Amino acid sequence: METVKKEGFKIIGIKVRTTNQNNQAVTDIPQLWEKFISENIQEKIPNKVSSSIFSIYTNYQKDQTQPYDTILGCEVNALTTIPKGMIGQEFRKDTYAKFTAKGNLSKGVVYNSWVTIWNKSLDRTFTADFEVYGEKAQNPADAEVEIFVAVK
């Protein structure tokens, strides 16, 4: 883990309101991914900065034990055109604890990394936490996914 400062950024994508209670997120988030992939959402996002996919956890009611939004989308340079059925959101410059999940995506490597993060004593802000599925995540059997957790 390292601490990094990231500039603000804008995202366009699709979202679901979910919670970790009763394993609801374990159902909701894979369904959101299925929609993202099956409806080719990535290709419909205008003004993309790159082809990296962001999975963002934000608008926390309180912390990871309470409801929050999950947004799947791409970083964009403008929120002027948001396609129907999608949302756009801007995230401010912030400080993050950065982790890297390495391994087989189908074997829960990202989720297992989150379990480790939840058990660490981090001074979290619960503003926006996110995963970046970039070039190193193209091979799902041997992927690297960066995880950013907002901290004070």
Side-chain angles (χ1 to χ4, degrees):
M1 177 194 85
E2 64 178 302
T3 302
V4 298
K5 289 203 182 293
K6 289 199 65 75
E7 292 301 316
F9 59 95
K10 301 170 187 73
I11 294 288
I12 292 178
I14 56 174
K15 83 168 184 176
V16 66
R17 185 85 174 154
T18 191
T19 179
N20 290 334
Q21 294 175 354
N22 302 318
N23 286 326
Q24 187 62 46
V26 175
T27 300
D28 291 344
I29 294 172
Q31 285 176 350
L32 191 67
W33 273 102
E34 175 60 32
K35 177 178 175 146
F36 189 85
I37 292 164
S38 69
E39 295 181 18
N40 208 12
I41 300 292
Q42 184 178 15
E43 295 308 312
K44 297 175 184 173
I45 297 172
N47 305 311
K48 281 192 292 287
V49 172
S50 76
S51 61
S52 294
I53 298 170
F54 284 62
S55 181
I56 303 175
Y57 310 99
T58 190
N59 303 322
Y60 289 95
Q61 187 170 312
K62 181 179 178 198
D63 59 24
Q64 79 270 9
T65 67
Q66 300 295 313
Y68 59 90
D69 289 342
T70 299
I71 302 170
L72 280 182
C74 296
E75 183 177 359
V76 297
N77 56 26
L79 295 175
T80 51
T81 305
I82 300 170
K84 186 175 181 178
M86 293 190 205
I87 60 118
Q89 190 164 334
E90 190 163 354
F91 298 90
R92 63 180 170 84
K93 178 178 180 177
D94 216 337
T95 302
Y96 296 91
K98 179 182 173 187
F99 301 86
T100 303
K102 295 180 182 181
N104 190 326
L105 293 179
S106 67
K107 302 232 190 276
V109 68
V110 174
Y111 176 78
N112 292 337
S113 293
W114 275 109
V115 171
T116 301
I117 290 165
W118 293 330
N119 289 310
K120 287 188 175 297
S121 73
L122 297 171
D123 197 4
R124 295 181 62 186
T125 62
F126 295 100
T127 50
D129 307 311
F130 59 96
E131 302 151 10
V132 180
Y133 295 80
E135 205 171 291
K136 292 182 178 178
Q138 297 303 308
N139 175 2
D142 185 27
E144 279 189 35
V145 176
E146 294 176 322
I147 301 173
F148 295 88
V149 179
V151 293
K152 293 181 182 166

